Amino acid sequence: MELLNFVLEAGFWVATIRMATPLIFGTLGELLCERAGVLNLGIEGIMAAGSMAGWTWVYMGGDLWTGVCFAAFIGGLIGLLHALLTVQLGLSQHVTGLGITMLASALSSFVFRMLLPKATTPPKIIPFKAFAIPYLSDLPHVGNVLFNQSALTYLAFALVVVVAYVLFRTPVGLAVRMTGENPMAVEAQGLSVFAIRTWAVVAGSALMAVGGAFLTMSAFDAFYIGMVNGRGWICIALVVFASWKPGKALLGCVLFAAFDAIQMRVQQQSGMAVPYQFYLMMPYVFSIMALIIMSRRAAYPRALLVPFRKGER
Amino acid sequence: MTHTVLKLQGITKTFGPVTANRDVTLELRHGEMLALLGENGAGKTTLMSILFGHYVADAGTVEVFGSVLPEGSPRAALNAGVGMVHQHFTLAGNMTVLENIMLGTEPLTAVRHDAASALRTLRALMDRFCLAVDPAAMVRDLSVGEQQRVEILKVLYRGARILILDEPTSVLTPQEADHLFATLRQLVGEGLSVIFITHKMREVMAASDRCAVLRHGELVFEAVTAETTAGELARAMVGSEIPKPRRPEPREGDEILCLQSVGVAGAGDKQRLRNCSLALKAHEILGIAGVSGNGQSQLADLLAGLVVPETGEIIIAGEGLERPTPAAMIARGVGRVPDDRTGTGLVADMTVEENLSTEVYRLPGFARRGVLNFKALASRAKQLIEAFDVRCPGIDTPVRKLSGGNMQKLILARILSNAPSIIVVNQPTWGLDVGATAYVHQQLLDAAKRGAGVVLISEDLDEIFHLSDRIQVMYQGALSEPLATREATREQVGLLMSGNHASGASRCTSGSNDAGAAA
């Protein structure tokens, strides 16, 4: 009963939407890569790099929005590395992705330590503030939840629409989807599979990095080593949950964030009777169950994980 | 029939030590239909892939309407008006027909599809050439014939003036093939030029204006079709006379295999079997014809003991089989030649000797208390590659290094050495050259002569008619009544293949015609 009241509180939903934001960026980014046929397991590391890059930019005196752009740029750069290895050279996407994650995570920590060798408590920046959209935020119930968030959250929601539109309503989106289904069809129509895959991975990685940047520039105001904390892996599961569709991805992100918000609350209230790790585990258990239910019949991109080599069949 | 629209000049292409094309020069004229013939591995597809820009030639040029195409660019070929229908369709199954056709036809920077105008253009094309398909249908739901129509529409939609088709009839029923050639005729009539690749003599003689023959990558023969004969072309293809397999006189034998109303569940993309009955006698070759994907692979798996029937009964030599397993089938003398040589037939990365041992290694003489007797296995392997003329450097060669023909000989060696009473072969000569094909046919005829019964599953009607004593047709998982080969006609079998029992397939039909109606 108490839990029900909690779920009906506006505060719970405000927190849920906030916690969903990095997942939305990450999931959209991963979705874009996979729609083109490239699994990007570098996501965990790319998010870490994004969180570090954006924060550092602002800490060094840059403003917030150029910091977001810088994070996206760094993410795109790492994505380019992933694309060079998996698309141009056709190496294993699993191994390359895990390597990228290790590289990017370690590099972020390394650069952070190099820049601030003496800092014991992490230094802070002035993050994005909640921005109430006039009039809309005054709406009953939903106003405060949806329209009194940080600018990056609005951007995340807008990007769901943009990615869906690009994928399903534009020629370039058709080319991306077709590349994930049958690269030979794309080549036979005179388009470059390499170019399409490379740009999809670069763009997707840039989105992931912005998701990471949200953590240090909006959710918190400092960079901690290991702060991405598995969110990247969750995004990979959410893409499957979403059956590679942006709208369902948004739903999945919000659902997972809600589980997470609930577990935090329950953890605070239950005292020490149950180990807190049990509650930490709950969102993952729920997401595995949701995954089983939602994605049994999911049609995955046929050419996912299949490297394309010109002149071979 | 005057000016040259396409010219291949001195094309040479090597893959490692293999020369796929050597100094090939070929011309295509305005409004003509050119047949490009050759055995498997003669370099036909390579040549067309170079023309279309999938491959880059080591030497030589491609000239279209008087200008040289840049190398390795399908886009340049498309823009120059060359369209290609690949043997393995380049379609995305999870997308609609319209999406497949529109891909790459709009600038990638456009902010919106113009689906409405694309649909108008497409409908106009469909009406003009009698090529009806539902533009909103998912490609995976279409029959193979319809998918080919989509491929042709794709090419026409881009305004191609030169059309290349790689083995276009290999997946079609005879009626669908007729329809295809009628369409091609119409295209040629409107001033397009067509090259089609084939190894079926019948199509060359019936449909082409001119023909060219490739052998071992070289252009060895070129002629106006009306001025040559099928025999001359066959000699040019092979380079020498191939002895025709001889058919022994038919002999009556006892019934050795019987399927009674067997049903098998479908799995994945495998068609379910419905109520299949057949009776195979010793000394007999029973041909199972059908368009690919109608349940042939399930039937082969059933007879191999790989799937269990849901209903009905399998009776071998008068004895019902409770629960068929591969081991039970082997023990009852069933020899199996699967269609997927390197998938289920052989273990490609293991040696010739190991592959030859897979059905006997547990027998006494080859193993003692669970330890293999390598000496016995090796000497058996040596003996078999000698007897079956498997060309390989040695018995420790990995199988993947063998040619398709030698792989098939290896499989035949493995099963025929067990003197099986029943032989189930699925697509036995797929991808083999004429020589190897003749060898396989002779082995099957000899086995039947010795008293084995052969179930010959094949999509090649010529093969079916050439070898079998009786023919049954598989359509959507059901078997037709047997026809005596002597009394059956190709048309009759072709109609059964498209699920039609009545005669008279219409020529210019709507979207849901022939096999499509069944899909």
Side-chain angles (χ1 to χ4, degrees):
Chain A
M1 213 51 234
E2 195 188 349
L3 193 65
L4 189 68
N5 284 334
F6 166 62
V7 167
L8 290 174
E9 270 170 36
F12 162 75
W13 286 105
V14 173
T16 295
I17 297 296
R18 188 180 63 236
M19 288 160 77
T21 304
L23 300 179
I24 296 172
F25 280 114
T27 308
L28 288 178
E30 185 67 32
L31 190 144
L32 213 51
C33 298
E34 293 190 18
R35 274 286 184 171
V38 182
L39 177 70
N40 192 347
L41 291 183
I43 182 170
E44 183 80 8
I46 292 171
M47 287 180 84
S51 65
M52 202 283 295
W55 180 86
T56 309
W57 182 271
V58 177
Y59 184 73
M60 295 299 185
D63 77 286
L64 286 167
W65 281 110
T66 48
V68 171
C69 295
F70 181 65
F73 172 74
I74 293 295
L77 218 55
I78 301 172
L80 188 63
L81 175 64
H82 186 63
L84 282 177
L85 296 171
T86 58
V87 178
Q88 310 283 336
L89 299 179
L91 303 179
S92 156
Q93 296 178 6
H94 287 118
V95 177
T96 307
L98 291 175
I100 296 265
T101 281
M102 288 192 262
L103 175 73
S105 307
L107 214 53
S108 311
S109 311
F110 177 70
V111 170
F112 180 71
R113 277 278 160 247
M114 291 297 285
L115 287 174
L116 301 160
K118 300 217 174 72
T120 44
T121 51
K124 296 181 179 202
I125 59 165
I126 300 165
F128 278 102
K129 293 215 166 52
F131 173 74
I133 297 179
Y135 306 115
L136 286 176
S137 58
D138 297 333
L139 290 172
H141 306 299
V142 294
N144 197 36
V145 172
L146 290 177
F147 302 108
N148 192 10
Q149 296 278 2
S150 106
L152 282 180
T153 302
Y154 300 134
L155 180 64
F157 276 76
L159 275 172
V160 174
V161 180
V162 171
V163 170
Y165 180 87
V166 168
L167 273 180
F168 295 100
R169 290 280 183 274
T170 66
V172 75
L174 175 61
V176 168
R177 284 185 291 135
M178 197 72 91
T179 307
E181 289 289 332
N182 185 358
M184 266 313 278
V186 175
E187 205 206 27
Q189 288 287 68
L191 302 177
S192 165
V193 174
F194 290 144
I196 292 166
R197 284 194 162 170
T198 301
W199 284 112
V201 172
V202 168
S205 303
L207 287 185
M208 296 168 189
V210 174
F214 175 86
L215 296 175
T216 49
M217 298 170 71
S218 187
F220 306 102
D221 50 10
F223 175 82
Y224 305 91
I225 287 166
M227 78 185 300
V228 177
N229 195 19
R231 286 185 180 84
W233 307 135
I234 287 297
C235 291
I236 288 175
L238 284 171
V239 172
V240 182
F241 172 87
S243 313
W244 291 268
K245 292 193 175 75
K248 280 169 96 179
L250 175 63
L251 177 73
C253 293
V254 171
L255 214 59
F256 183 83
F259 285 146
D260 214 14
I262 290 173
Q263 74 78 16
M264 278 182 172
R265 177 60 166 259
V266 174
Q267 208 185 120
Q268 287 161 10
Q269 298 195 332
S270 74
M272 300 302 282
V274 182
Y276 73 95
Q277 287 92 342
F278 179 80
Y279 296 108
L280 278 180
M281 181 187 79
M282 289 315 289
Y284 299 91
V285 174
F286 282 126
S287 44
I288 287 172
M289 275 157 49
L291 205 59
I292 292 168
I293 297 163
M294 291 282 285
S295 55
R296 294 259 330 252
R297 294 167 52 84
Y300 60 93
R302 289 280 148 191
L304 185 61
L305 294 173
V306 184
F308 177 77
R309 295 189 178 91
K310 200 170 158 61
E312 273 179 31
R313 38 191 64 226
Chain B
M1 293 258 189
T2 43
H3 56 284
T4 301
V5 294
L6 170 77
K7 193 170 176 190
L8 297 167
Q9 183 76 52
I11 301 283
T12 298
K13 172 77 182 170
T14 55
F15 294 104
V18 183
T19 303
N21 290 134
R22 179 174 289 135
D23 196 19
V24 178
T25 298
L26 189 65
E27 284 188 8
L28 179 69
R29 296 184 197 125
H30 177 80
E32 83 167 345
M33 194 122 101
L34 174 72
L36 185 60
L37 273 107
E39 292 187 26
N40 287 296
K44 298 167 297 195
T45 302
T46 306
L47 187 65
M48 291 302 113
S49 295
I50 289 168
L51 159 54
F52 193 65
H54 284 312
Y55 298 153
V56 177
D58 300 341
T61 54
V62 179
E63 221 174 274
V64 179
F65 296 114
S67 52
V68 175
L69 284 186
E71 292 176 332
S73 167
R75 162 150 290 233
L78 283 165
N79 290 343
V82 179
M84 183 151 175
V85 175
H86 296 80
Q87 183 179 9
H88 305 288
F89 299 149
T90 54
L91 298 170
N94 285 332
M95 306 224 185
T96 67
V97 169
L98 188 64
E99 283 179 325
N100 270 282
I101 288 174
M102 281 179 75
L103 172 71
T105 60
E106 296 174 298
L108 285 184
T109 48
V111 287
R112 209 182 152 70
H113 282 308
D114 193 355
S117 82
L119 196 58
R120 270 196 303 279
T121 316
L122 181 61
R123 289 216 186 275
L125 277 175
M126 292 198 295
D127 290 344
R128 194 161 125 215
F129 295 107
C130 296
L131 289 165
V133 210
D134 175 10
M138 286 286 177
V139 166
R140 60 161 184 264
D141 297 330
L142 302 181
S143 72
V144 184
E146 285 174 311
Q147 292 190 11
Q148 188 176 59
R149 246 174 271 160
V150 176
E151 284 280 23
I152 294 174
L153 282 167
K154 210 162 92 175
V155 169
L156 295 177
Y157 184 88
R158 302 200 67 136
R161 305 297 297 159
I162 298 167
L163 194 58
I164 304 159
L165 300 104
D166 190 358
E167 304 258 359
T169 57
S170 59
V171 291
L172 304 181
T173 63
Q175 282 80 6
E176 282 177 319
D178 287 347
H179 184 211
L180 170 70
F181 282 117
T183 306
L184 295 182
R185 269 281 145 225
Q186 196 190 348
L187 292 173
V188 167
E190 300 208 4
L192 273 75
S193 311
V194 173
I195 301 180
F196 71 93
I197 297 177
T198 186
H199 58 249
K200 293 180 184 162
M201 220 58 78
R202 187 191 317 274
E203 291 167 4
V204 180
M205 300 314 287
S208 68
D209 301 313
R210 225 154 47 87
C211 50
V213 179
L214 277 182
R215 188 173 75 229
H216 301 317
E218 287 177 81
L219 192 73
V220 291
F221 186 83
E222 227 183 321
V224 173
T225 309
E227 292 166 8
T228 185
T229 62
E232 197 175 4
L233 288 175
R235 271 194 301 282
M237 263 169 77
V238 184
S240 61
E241 295 280 351
I242 291 285
K244 276 210 157 184
R246 281 192 317 278
R247 273 185 75 159
E249 282 300 300
R251 280 163 62 183
E252 279 292 296
D254 300 331
E255 190 172 291
I256 46 175
L257 169 70
C258 181
L259 294 188
Q260 280 180 353
S261 312
V262 173
V264 176
D269 51 358
K270 288 194 170 176
Q271 167 76 36
R272 68 181 295 126
L273 296 187
R274 295 172 305 167
N275 214 9
C276 288
S277 296
L278 64 80
L280 177 74
K281 298 192 176 87
H283 294 295
E284 181 188 47
I285 297 183
L286 176 64
I288 309 286
V291 180
S292 90
N294 271 292
Q296 293 97 323
S297 58
Q298 277 296 74
L299 180 66
D301 284 353
L302 173 75
L303 295 175
L306 291 169
V307 295
V308 179
E310 281 183 326
T311 55
E313 210 179 357
I314 306 176
I315 300 164
I316 294 178
E319 205 181 320
L321 222 59
E322 272 301 305
R323 203 184 155 76
T325 62
M329 287 301 191
I330 296 169
R332 280 173 175 72
V334 179
R336 306 151 312 152
V337 180
D339 56 346
D340 184 4
R341 258 159 242 154
T342 50
T344 42
L346 297 165
V347 187
D349 283 323
M350 294 178 76
T351 66
V352 168
E353 177 190 343
E354 286 166 326
N355 273 285
L356 281 171
S357 307
T358 49
E359 287 186 8
V360 296
Y361 68 93
R362 276 183 302 193
L363 302 182
F366 297 112
R368 239 164 65 102
R369 293 192 202 97
V371 180
L372 291 177
N373 180 349
F374 287 107
K375 236 184 191 170
L377 288 173
S379 78
R380 175 174 178 274
K382 280 191 190 120
Q383 204 183 323
L384 284 177
I385 62 172
E386 188 92 351
F388 286 85
D389 191 29
V390 181
R391 308 266 170 86
C392 60
I395 56 167
D396 48 8
T397 311
V399 160
R400 72 184 140 76
K401 293 195 174 165
L402 269 51
S403 71
N406 280 309
M407 285 187 191
Q408 195 67 312
K409 284 180 182 175
L410 199 63
I411 296 176
L412 283 173
R414 182 173 73 202
I415 66 148
L416 292 176
S417 61
N418 293 345
S421 57
I422 299 164
I423 301 171
V424 181
V425 293
N426 191 3
Q427 305 281 24
T429 57
W430 186 86
L432 302 190
D433 61 37
V434 179
T437 300
Y439 180 88
V440 170
H441 286 174
Q442 192 59 58
Q443 288 291 338
L444 294 178
L445 290 168
D446 288 351
K449 193 174 169 188
R450 282 195 300 270
V454 179
V455 178
L456 166 68
I457 303 171
S458 177
E459 285 156 28
D460 182 349
L461 267 193
D462 292 326
E463 180 168 75
I464 294 268
F465 270 89
H466 183 59
L467 295 180
S468 16
D469 299 295
R470 287 185 304 143
I471 299 172
Q472 281 180 275
V473 178
M474 191 139 223
Y475 177 71
Q476 298 211 327
L479 278 173
S480 71
E481 290 293 310
L483 306 164
T485 307
R486 243 169 262 236
E487 293 149 20
T489 63
R490 292 179 64 89
E491 287 64 39
Q492 205 180 353
V493 173
L495 282 173
L496 288 168
M497 281 163 68
S498 56
N500 243 321
H501 294 269
S503 59
S506 50
R507 178 124 297 188
C508 181
T509 38
S510 63
S512 58
N513 67 343
D514 48 59

